[in-house]
């Protein structure tokens, strides 16, 4: 990858529309601004990615992380695309029934809270892999802004105050009264994390080994084992991220590049877009009864396949393109009727031939002046992950183990159920819904998109694509628009506040759709309290190469753009 000197950068931006306005959209202003600063200094989108990732680990500890994992999907200015899987792995001592009691029942909270919930983290491996293959600036330059930020502190927002307060008791229970996050942070407070600053400095100077081996690794293992976990120093030492082929498919005149297994995101997105393609959804209004019916029926069938077929491709031969095949998807939609909902109880996974020879989260989107595009979704899983805080290192550890199927038919935190393909095995990666995606038009980047939201990630990305290309919305409008979600089971259509009016609600109900309007206040089986769906951070590039952004108002998200 070439390094962009400031001179080339301004030339690219100013010269007759040849370059792109560099942009970063992420969950925090500090992170988006740091990404832009890196590109101003001549860094490319991949350098910016490393710096943004670390800045989110400091300023957005609910999901930004070095103790979690995620996926990168990219497309370079040379027209190459690829993806990196830095998903967590199950520890070597993990086993299928590890969350079951002697009666075979799932032990409450064991896969979500405390050391037993923690998967082997991938983020540090991921950012170093990206940097060595595609970055251009020295790694120290990319770490430094976050080392400083952790040391000098960042200002707590109202949304952060609320989220921290919500988990305060868990922090105290897991980490004790003296832990950094066991304090009652308020809006406007400056949160300094000196230990994290020191950890980042060590990693910047000594590379990923400074995280996966030695002092920091020992701190992690001590915390995990003290709070009931089974991860060992060997698990950390043996962690590797994996370059994988992204899934690629077309929707009308668009080429879509998205994440493949062990994320279900790209495959489901392909199935759903393929399923609705022949119905020309753009002839209906956004969130009309018809467009909701089409989306929901496509989603129902795709999520049924997810629960049966998908898991870690390194552990079994699993279908990918077979599930997106035109004939297969058309056949799956044959039972769709405009008159009545297809009950989920009548929908199971489809029948395909597996071809033997083949094979609280956060998202940020980046484009640089050359058009290198990077789409990254990263997570600790639920808010602040396992809540296990590596005190001496200054960071939280994930609870990604909950993304496995603890027991067939038992819903995880997102109400998702799974099968043998996603059962727990030593060193296996748990199935994800993360869907970092890049859409190309005429071979050029057109949309960079992704979101947190567990099971709702895939349907949110699906809707953003439809909002932009079918319903003619601007990038920000597409992000703001109320979202709808269905995931096969539970057989309910969740709709954000303001998504539909009473008339449409009654029509959908008369067709046997069970509609739930947000907010949902208290936890109910398979569904947790929530007020909104996803937090999309996206970039759109029009046919003239003009860049526009969408930062989700559902969070503190922020778009920074260099004009
Ligand atoms: O990988 C997954 O699908 C989940 N661990 C993502 C979790 C998530 O999006 C939480 N954010 N709301």
């Amino acid at each position: 990858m070439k390094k962009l000197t400031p001179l080339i950068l301004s030339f690219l931006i100013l010269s007759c529309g040849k370059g792109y306005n560099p942009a970063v959209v992420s969950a925090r202003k500090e992170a988006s601004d740091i990404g832009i600063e890196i590109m101003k200094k001549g860094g490319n989108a991949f350098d910016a990615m490393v710096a943004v990732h670390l800045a989110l680990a400091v300023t957005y500890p609910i999901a930004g992380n070095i103790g979690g994992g995620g996926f990168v999907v990219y497309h370079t200015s040379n027209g190459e695309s690829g993806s990196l899987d830095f998903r967590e792995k199950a520890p070597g001592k993990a086993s299928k029934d590890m969350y079951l009691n002697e009666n075979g029942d799932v032990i409450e909270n064991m896969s979500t809270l405390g050391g037993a919930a923690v998967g082997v983290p991938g983020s540090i491996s991921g950012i170093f892999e990206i940097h060595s293959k595609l970055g251009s600036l020295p790694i120290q330059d990319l770490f430094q802004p976050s080392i400083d930020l952790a040391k000098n502190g960042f200002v707590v927002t109202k949304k952060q105050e609320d989220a921290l307060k919500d988990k305060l008791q868990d922090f105290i229970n897991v980490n004790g009264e003296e832990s950094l996050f066991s304090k009652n942070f308020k809006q406007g407070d400056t949160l300094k994390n000196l230990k994290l600053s020191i950890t980042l400095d060590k990693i910047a100077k000594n590379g990923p080994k400074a995280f996966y081996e030695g002092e920091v690794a020992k701190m992690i293992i001590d915390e995990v084992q003290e709070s009931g976990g089974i991860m060992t120093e060997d698990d950390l030492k043996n962690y590797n991220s994996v370059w994988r082929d992204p899934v690629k498919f077309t929707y009308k005149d668009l080429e879509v590049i998205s994440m493949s297994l062990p994320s279900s995101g790209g495959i489901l997105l392909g199935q759903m877009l393929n399923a609705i393609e022949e119905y020309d959804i753009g002839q209906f209004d956004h969130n009309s009864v018809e467009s909701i019916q089409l989306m929901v029926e496509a989603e129902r069938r795709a999520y049924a396949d997810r629960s049966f077929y998908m898991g870690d491709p390194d552990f079994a031969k699993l279908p990918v393109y077979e599930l997106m095949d035109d004939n297969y998807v058309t056949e799956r939609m044959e039972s769709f009727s405009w008159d009545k909902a297809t009950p989920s109880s009548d929908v199971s996974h489809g029948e395909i031939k597996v071809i033997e020879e083949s094979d609280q989260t956060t998202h940020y989107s980046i484009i640089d002046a050359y058009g290198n595009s990077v789409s990254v979704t990263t997570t600790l899983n639920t808010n602040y992950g396992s809540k296990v805080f590596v005190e001496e290192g200054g960071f939280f550890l994930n609870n990604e183990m909950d993304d496995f199927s603890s027991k067939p038919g038992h819903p995880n935190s997102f109400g998702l159920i799974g099968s043998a393909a996603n059962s727990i095995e030593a060193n296996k990666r748990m199935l994800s819904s993360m869907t970092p995606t890049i859409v190309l038009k005429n071979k050029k980047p057109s949309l960079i998109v992704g979101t947190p939201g567990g099971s709702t990630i895939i349907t949110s990305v699906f809707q953003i694509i439809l909002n932009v290309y079918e319903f003619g919305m601007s990038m920000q409008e597409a992000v703001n628009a109320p979202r709808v979600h269905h995931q096969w089971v539970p057989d309910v259509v969740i709709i954000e506040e303001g998504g539909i009016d009473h008339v449409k609600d009654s029509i959908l109900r008369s067709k046997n759709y069970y509609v739930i309007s947000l907010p949902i206040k208290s936890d109910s089986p398979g569904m947790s309290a929530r007020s909104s769906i996803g937090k999309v951070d996206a970039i759109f590039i029009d046919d003239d190469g003009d860049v526009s952004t969408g930062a989700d108002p559902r969070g503190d998200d922020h778009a920074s753009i260099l004009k």
Side-chain angles (χ1 to χ4, degrees):
M1 278 289 116
K2 264 177 271 175
K3 179 174 160 181
L4 293 172
T5 66
L7 198 65
I8 299 177
L9 186 66
S10 15
F11 175 72
L12 273 170
I13 297 168
L14 296 174
S15 62
C16 347
K18 270 190 187 160
Y20 298 91
N21 287 111
V24 182
V25 192
S26 81
R28 287 286 300 204
K29 181 175 188 308
E30 296 87 337
S32 298
D33 287 348
I34 283 173
I36 290 291
E37 281 306 311
I38 292 296
M39 290 193 275
K40 269 202 218 163
K41 285 189 183 135
N44 61 23
F46 302 100
D47 295 314
M49 184 222 132
V50 173
V52 171
H53 195 99
L54 295 169
L56 288 169
V58 176
T59 58
Y60 195 63
I62 193 168
N65 67 81
I66 59 171
F71 301 100
V72 186
V73 168
Y74 68 85
H75 183 260
T76 68
S77 53
N78 306 329
E80 285 157 22
S81 53
S83 67
L84 182 72
D85 162 0
F86 59 98
R87 180 71 160 166
E88 298 89 333
K89 295 173 79 167
K93 286 188 188 155
S95 59
K96 185 164 159 280
D97 296 337
M98 64 185 275
Y99 298 122
L100 305 186
N101 65 17
E102 57 281 9
N103 303 322
D105 298 325
V106 173
I107 301 167
E108 211 183 331
N109 292 336
M110 193 174 168
S111 65
T112 54
L113 191 67
V118 182
V120 186
S123 283
I124 289 296
S125 161
I127 61 179
F128 274 91
E129 279 290 324
I130 286 285
H131 180 255
S132 62
K133 181 172 168 142
L134 298 156
S136 67
L137 293 184
I139 196 87
Q140 180 76 41
D141 293 4
L142 312 178
F143 270 71
Q144 199 58 48
S146 296
I147 294 171
D148 296 342
L149 199 50
K151 189 167 150 205
N152 301 329
F154 65 91
V155 177
V156 173
T157 66
K158 177 73 179 97
K159 288 194 170 90
Q160 283 188 313
E161 175 190 325
D162 295 344
L164 287 165
K165 198 187 289 162
D166 189 46
K167 298 295 175 219
L168 184 61
Q169 198 52 52
D170 283 343
F171 297 150
I172 294 171
N173 293 347
V174 176
N175 306 306
E177 302 263 356
E178 298 308 313
S179 179
L180 176 63
F181 283 89
S182 300
K183 294 189 191 86
N184 209 345
F185 287 105
K186 292 258 181 301
Q187 176 182 14
D189 288 352
T190 297
L191 200 162
K192 294 183 185 176
N193 189 342
L194 193 59
K195 300 274 172 61
L196 180 57
S197 171
I198 295 167
T199 304
L200 293 177
D201 192 45
K202 278 183 200 155
I203 302 170
K205 293 199 169 96
N206 302 306
K209 275 195 171 177
F211 180 85
Y212 289 103
E213 294 175 43
E215 232 180 332
V216 176
K218 189 163 178 339
M219 288 173 198
I220 296 174
I221 298 308
D222 286 351
E223 293 283 359
V224 166
Q225 293 186 350
E226 268 168 34
S227 57
I230 52 172
M231 199 197 292
T232 63
E233 286 185 42
D234 274 349
D235 289 329
L236 283 170
K237 198 170 159 190
N238 295 333
Y239 181 85
N240 61 313
S241 39
V242 184
W243 295 98
R244 298 196 189 269
D245 290 334
V247 282
K248 293 183 188 170
F249 53 88
T250 56
Y251 175 71
K252 299 192 173 171
D253 61 342
L254 307 170
E255 277 175 75
V256 182
I257 308 166
S258 191
M259 193 62 216
S260 191
L261 297 172
S263 180
S264 59
I267 301 174
L268 264 68
L269 189 62
Q271 290 189 293
M272 295 177 332
L273 285 168
N274 198 345
I276 62 157
E277 189 165 352
E278 65 191 73
Y279 294 87
D280 195 13
I281 196 168
Q283 69 179 300
F284 307 111
D285 287 338
H286 174 254
N287 282 356
S288 59
V289 169
E290 292 84 355
S291 62
I292 290 176
Q293 276 190 276
L294 266 181
M295 292 191 305
V296 164
E297 296 302 340
E299 290 166 2
R300 186 194 310 279
R301 287 157 178 80
Y303 276 82
D305 281 349
R306 180 192 195 279
S307 77
F308 185 75
Y309 284 115
M310 299 183 202
D312 184 344
D314 295 341
F315 277 67
K317 191 150 275 307
L318 300 173
V320 175
Y321 286 99
E322 294 90 330
L323 293 169
M324 294 188 272
D325 175 76
D326 285 347
N327 293 332
Y328 170 73
V329 171
T330 307
E331 234 171 73
R332 293 282 281 158
M333 284 298 274
E334 270 167 9
S335 53
F336 164 58
S337 152
W338 290 108
D339 302 332
K340 281 268 178 282
T342 316
S344 284
S345 50
D346 290 357
V347 175
S348 169
H349 59 87
E351 294 298 330
I352 52 154
K353 277 204 201 100
V354 178
I355 301 162
E356 282 301 322
E357 288 76 24
S358 72
D359 138 275
Q360 169 100 60
T361 308
T362 189
H363 177 86
Y364 52 97
S365 296
I366 304 177
I367 187 164
D368 67 19
Y370 280 121
N372 292 308
S373 311
V374 185
S375 187
V376 183
T377 314
T378 180
T379 190
L380 290 165
N381 194 27
T382 60
N383 295 350
Y384 309 97
S386 62
K387 320 298 181 276
V388 177
F389 186 67
V390 180
E391 203 66 51
E392 292 307 309
F395 56 94
F396 282 108
L397 294 171
N398 68 83
N399 59 354
E400 221 69 62
M401 291 295 286
D402 188 59
D403 275 346
F404 278 117
S405 169
S406 295
K407 183 182 170 178
H410 182 85
N412 73 1
S413 295
F414 302 102
L416 293 167
I417 55 179
S419 66
N422 190 33
S423 63
I424 307 172
E425 287 179 63
N427 305 315
K428 185 175 175 181
R429 288 173 151 95
M430 51 300 276
L431 182 62
S432 174
S433 301
M434 291 190 273
T435 315
T437 298
I438 296 173
V439 177
L440 307 180
K441 196 172 170 193
N442 302 324
K443 308 276 173 213
K444 298 221 168 78
S446 173
L447 179 69
I448 309 166
V449 59
T451 178
S455 56
T456 67
I457 291 174
I458 314 167
T459 57
S460 296
V461 171
F462 179 46
Q463 288 167 87
I464 296 296
I465 293 176
L466 298 180
N467 290 352
V468 169
Y469 298 104
E470 295 286 5
F471 301 121
M473 295 184 198
S474 71
M475 189 69 264
Q476 191 62 59
E477 286 167 350
V479 169
N480 295 355
R483 296 195 264 267
V484 175
H485 174 74
H486 190 284
Q487 60 178 52
W488 178 50
V489 282
D491 192 353
V492 294
V493 184
I494 304 174
I495 304 188
E496 283 189 318
E497 210 165 2
I500 54 167
D501 58 24
H502 289 302
V503 178
K504 289 184 204 164
D505 185 274
S506 347
I507 301 174
L508 283 168
R509 283 173 199 278
S510 72
K511 291 173 187 264
N512 289 357
Y513 289 96
Y514 184 63
V515 177
I516 295 184
S517 293
L518 294 184
I520 304 172
K521 292 235 164 57
S522 57
D523 287 4
S524 59
M527 217 175 310
S528 35
R530 66 190 312 162
S531 55
S532 58
I533 298 175
K535 270 185 334 97
V536 175
D537 285 337
I539 297 174
F540 179 68
I541 306 101
D542 70 13
D543 294 346
D544 299 326
D546 288 334
V547 173
S548 57
T549 53
D552 207 318
R554 293 164 183 80
D556 295 321
D557 303 47
H558 185 86
S560 299
I561 182 158
L562 185 61
K563 299 249 184 203

